Amino acid sequence: MQYLFHLESPIGPLTLTEEDGALIRLDFGKKGQAGPETPLLAEARNQLEQYFSGSLRRFTLPLQPKGTPFQQKVWAALLQIPWGETRTYGQVAAMIGQPKACRAVGMANNRNPLPIFIPCHRVIGANGQLTGYAGGLSAKERLLALEQGGR
């Protein structure tokens, strides 16, 4: 069974989805009919609040993103990018042992069902420019500024 929960954040409304005791999605905006706040959704809300206040640097929640084996590999690499740091798509491709897979890494980022928790906002273009983000470039910019001490 899936449970949806809406919350407000500094980057706008978010919708969390839980299934079988793990988070499976974070969507920007309000998606679907929200239900009760389960213990996991309450903890996810609490950790997001701590993250946005700058006091939490690593989430400790059960995550179960659904994707291909390649996407899973990319998302696991994203979890290794430290708070406040960025990597290029090429660097992430190298991290997974496929240095020529920059575009495929970009597509896996685009399909990340758990942005913020799986920090795809920490991936930037080779020229240092911000590139697309599901929540919009302004949200990506705010997340990076938060992590780099600019709140």
Side-chain angles (χ1 to χ4, degrees):
M1 176 171 230
Q2 286 190 352
Y3 299 94
L4 276 74
F5 181 75
H6 300 146
L7 66 135
E8 291 300 320
S9 81
I11 59 170
L14 303 173
T15 300
L16 299 172
T17 305
E18 172 189 347
E19 183 178 88
D20 298 327
L23 291 178
I24 62 165
R25 292 195 63 80
L26 180 150
D27 291 292
F28 295 95
K30 292 185 177 179
K31 311 282 184 189
Q33 181 65 38
E37 184 179 38
T38 67
L40 174 60
L41 292 171
E43 181 57 23
R45 177 184 45 77
N46 180 50
Q47 287 191 28
L48 280 168
E49 288 171 355
Q50 290 177 50
Y51 169 81
F52 285 118
S53 76
S55 65
L56 180 80
R57 293 180 175 216
R58 192 176 234 358
F59 294 101
T60 56
L61 298 162
L63 306 177
Q64 200 71 334
K66 295 177 182 170
T68 67
F70 179 82
Q71 290 169 335
Q72 297 284 344
K73 200 176 194 183
V74 170
W75 301 335
L78 299 180
L79 290 168
Q80 302 309 310
I81 303 172
W83 163 279
E85 295 185 21
T86 58
R87 299 292 184 272
T88 65
Y89 294 98
Q91 288 172 319
V92 175
M95 287 170 69
I96 65 168
Q98 295 183 256
K100 295 184 180 186
C102 301
R103 288 180 190 222
V105 165
M107 288 306 299
N109 264 21
N110 179 264
R111 301 274 189 263
N112 176 7
L114 287 162
I116 303 173
F117 296 115
I118 299 175
C120 55
H121 61 276
R122 296 180 187 155
V123 183
I124 59 174
N127 60 3
Q129 297 295 309
L130 298 187
T131 56
Y133 188 63
L137 286 182
S138 64
K140 183 172 186 166
E141 189 171 31
R142 289 190 69 186
L143 293 172
L144 291 172
L146 165 77
E147 292 184 10
Q148 294 168 354
R151 280 208 180 153

